[in-house]
Amino acid sequence: MSDREVATALRSTAPMVVIEAPAGCGKTHQGADYAREAASSGGRLLIITHTHAACGVFAERTSDRGRHVEIRTIDSLIAQIAAAYHAGIGLPSDVAAWTRRTKDGYKIAAAKVSQLLARHPMIARALAERYPTVICDEHQDSSADQHALVVALKAQGARVRIFGDPMQHIYKDDVATAAAPPCDWTGIVSSADAFAELSTPHRWRSGCNDLGQWTLEARRTLKAGQRLSLRGQLPQSVTVTISENVARNAQGFQLSDAKSAYAAERRASSLLILARHNHVTRACRSMYGRRLPLWEGHTRRHLDTLVDAMIVGANNAEHLASAAAAFITATSKGFTASGFANQFIEYAGQGCTKPRRGKPATLQALAMHIVERPDHRGVAAMLRQLASLKGSDPAFAEVEFDHRSEYWDAVRLGGFDDIEAGLAEIANRRTYSRPMPPAKAISTIHKAKGLECDDVLLLSVDKNSFPDRADARCLLYVALSRAKKRLHIVASQAAASPLIQL
């Protein structure tokens, strides 16, 4: 459909309009323009997203509408409703903290809120009166319970506009469980009062239109369950190189021929190097001499784990030291168990009472921060000192910080009296500062969703990364659609992916 037809559908009187939005086809532009127009009429509008990064984009593009536009992640909206009615649905008053600490906490809260709105439609009616227009972004990532909230608002009179792309449903954690099945995109489309599909490849207009058309065709092929051909006549902007992973370790990555990968990096002034698995992205750091940083995105999974461990282990120096060592191992390279971590934990457990010399004395000095202050402040002080030792003590020169932003967020926690409040404030600052990758960066495909770059190098298209599964098809499409000008694909022939033809 043309952009004009999509815009007309959004502005119709239909209670629920669904827009299928392939990557790069102007979804954010259409959604933000409609939001600004709807808000200018004086009503209040709610934009629901699935990521903090998307919140930041919509906030920037609707900033001139001020208080008439409210932008929330769907998890935060559910947590707010759950907090207001926590006693009736069997949750503690601090729902936000509970969901973060509890396994599947967000899914459980969504299920309870969905049931609450079904039992008490007056709650949904009050929300619909407050937000007469609701825009849902990236709705393919919703669970059935999250979608039920939107349906409840529509049933009480809210005008609902849904954007989504089933080919960008890449978060496997959201895929079916008995407690939280995914929403059914086909069912959502069939229940819509109006449906439209964006089809103009705007992302490539200033880069390479041929690449845009090829990417949309690749989407159609993968969506139809067919194999994507990388043979024959490809656009000049798409190059394919055959190279095998010859690493002996199952978690290793080493290309049999890395010349094209090195050449792609040298030629590009703007580059994203993408891989499915974390161990491949970390291996790429070494492959490029650690010159290129890892893009960490908004989430801080290892920091969340550390915070939970610090809350449970407060006043237990050995427990805190173990949690800190696990965090360092997860975010850095070189802080090995035999060389550093085991002694560090042992010294903390002993209270740092024995005199030591050399490297053991330095490790004991690190542990002393936690012994003297067995809480998040002590851990933060220890992490700060470790970072300084990297540059000043040859014994620590081998320690390399891969997730630098996450590491320093843990250090910043030491500046807050309350660890939960500190974590929330750091996440809030990150949301509104909208950090973006540097000109050249390495990223997992998951964390690159929503990004675009002139050049993209995809490593490595093989059967381990891209088996014949629906989630792998979506991941491959998301990776291909990040490139604006040039796409470089490194594929395996010996372990060929069943999704492609070479």
Side-chain angles (χ1 to χ4, degrees):
M1 290 184 173
S2 70
D3 289 347
R4 180 171 294 182
E5 288 173 307
V6 171
T8 299
L10 287 171
R11 289 157 178 79
S12 71
T13 58
M16 185 169 84
V17 177
V18 175
I19 308 295
E20 189 157 316
C25 289
K27 175 259 298 179
T28 305
H29 174 78
Q30 288 271 8
D33 268 12
Y34 173 70
R36 294 175 71 256
E37 185 177 312
S40 67
S41 65
R44 192 171 181 83
L45 179 138
L46 175 65
I47 299 176
I48 305 173
T49 76
H50 280 267
T51 66
H52 293 281
C55 285
V57 172
F58 276 105
E60 181 180 31
R61 298 199 184 189
T62 60
S63 59
D64 59 336
R65 294 300 183 265
R67 62 182 179 83
H68 294 291
V69 177
E70 185 169 334
I71 305 167
R72 307 285 297 276
T73 65
I74 195 162
D75 282 335
S76 72
L77 178 63
I78 287 170
Q80 183 184 41
I81 297 169
Y85 300 94
H86 67 93
I89 59 178
L91 292 179
S93 57
D94 192 349
V95 172
W98 177 86
T99 52
R100 192 186 61 76
R101 291 182 198 166
T102 305
K103 178 176 170 55
D104 293 331
Y106 290 106
K107 294 178 182 179
I108 295 169
K112 288 180 176 290
V113 167
S114 171
Q115 294 161 11
L116 174 74
L117 297 182
R119 290 196 308 269
H120 304 286
M122 60 183 170
I123 299 174
R125 189 177 309 126
L127 286 167
E129 288 176 0
R130 179 174 175 79
Y131 305 114
T133 302
V134 180
I135 296 175
C136 305
D137 181 49
E138 298 284 0
H139 202 63
Q140 77 278 347
D141 290 331
S142 292
S143 68
D145 289 321
Q146 290 172 332
H147 179 61
L149 183 154
V150 175
V151 171
L153 295 178
K154 180 210 168 190
Q156 297 303 319
R159 184 175 296 181
V160 174
R161 301 295 182 259
I162 292 175
F163 290 88
D165 180 6
M167 287 303 295
Q168 294 189 72
H169 181 60
I170 64 174
Y171 296 105
K172 198 170 181 183
D173 286 345
D174 294 333
V175 177
T177 66
C183 69
D184 173 16
W185 182 257
T186 302
I188 291 173
V189 170
S190 64
S191 66
D193 301 293
F195 173 77
E197 184 172 7
L198 290 165
S199 59
T200 304
H202 292 285
R203 175 174 292 166
W204 297 273
R205 280 188 169 174
S206 61
C208 179
N209 191 58
D210 286 347
L211 178 58
Q213 295 297 339
W214 181 86
T215 303
L216 286 181
E217 184 58 36
R219 178 183 182 273
R220 285 189 283 270
T221 298
L222 292 168
K223 186 179 180 183
Q226 299 170 353
R227 296 170 72 190
L228 175 64
S229 177
L230 298 179
R231 302 172 177 170
Q233 192 117 22
L234 296 171
Q236 288 187 345
S237 51
V238 179
T239 59
V240 180
T241 302
I242 304 300
S243 188
E244 307 297 338
N245 179 13
V246 294
R248 295 180 181 180
N249 188 325
Q251 290 295 302
F253 182 76
Q254 181 182 352
L255 290 174
S256 59
D257 182 358
K259 291 179 183 177
S260 64
Y262 291 134
E265 189 271 327
R266 286 195 301 269
R267 285 195 302 265
S269 57
S270 170
L271 176 70
L272 268 177
I273 299 174
L274 300 181
R276 175 166 190 171
H277 299 296
N278 283 307
H279 73 269
V280 177
T281 61
R282 295 185 76 164
C284 284
R285 280 268 287 155
S286 298
M287 189 171 94
Y288 287 99
R290 312 196 73 80
R291 292 182 295 105
L292 306 183
L294 291 178
W295 168 238
E296 299 171 57
H298 186 278
T299 58
R300 297 289 185 266
R301 180 168 55 88
H302 304 304
L303 181 60
D304 286 346
T305 301
L306 175 64
V307 167
D308 291 342
M310 289 192 293
I311 291 171
V312 171
N315 299 313
N316 184 324
E318 185 172 6
H319 182 99
L320 291 174
S322 180
F327 174 76
I328 297 165
T329 300
T331 57
S332 311
K333 177 186 176 184
F335 196 83
T336 61
S338 59
F340 297 90
N342 290 345
Q343 284 180 289
F344 166 70
I345 296 168
E346 179 186 346
Y347 298 159
Q350 295 171 348
C352 299
T353 55
K354 296 181 180 179
R356 303 184 190 278
R357 300 174 63 184
K359 180 180 169 183
T362 307
L363 285 171
Q364 184 161 276
L366 286 172
M368 182 61 79
H369 286 292
I370 297 175
V371 170
E372 292 180 338
R373 192 170 236 184
D375 60 14
H376 66 285
R377 298 180 189 85
V379 171
M382 173 263 158
L383 294 173
R384 184 184 293 278
Q385 184 176 348
L386 176 62
S388 69
L389 287 170
K390 157 70 181 166
S392 62
D393 189 329
F396 290 79
E398 63 195 83
V399 178
E400 299 282 355
F401 303 108
D402 287 327
H403 299 259
R404 295 189 63 85
S405 296
E406 189 162 14
Y407 187 93
W408 284 100
D409 279 350
V411 174
R412 292 184 189 98
L413 276 176
F416 296 87
D417 292 334
D418 182 271
I419 190 171
E420 292 276 13
L423 186 66
E425 176 58 24
I426 288 170
N428 185 61
R429 292 174 188 173
R430 190 163 60 250
T431 297
Y432 288 98
S433 65
R434 289 190 58 214
M436 295 297 289
K440 295 182 181 182
I442 303 166
S443 175
T444 62
I445 299 170
H446 286 88
K447 289 189 175 180
K449 185 180 177 186
L451 299 177
E452 58 185 44
C453 196
D454 284 351
D455 284 34
V456 165
L457 172 62
L458 176 57
L459 303 170
S460 164
V461 180
D462 58 30
K463 65 182 180 181
N464 294 320
S465 294
F466 298 101
D468 192 4
R469 292 201 315 257
D471 65 308
R473 289 179 175 275
C474 293
L475 275 168
L476 181 56
Y477 165 64
V478 169
L480 300 177
S481 59
R482 301 307 96 198
K484 292 169 61 180
K485 294 183 179 179
R486 284 170 294 275
L487 173 64
H488 314 268
I489 300 171
V490 174
S492 167
Q493 192 132 48
S497 166
L499 304 187
I500 63 171
Q501 290 179 318
L502 290 171

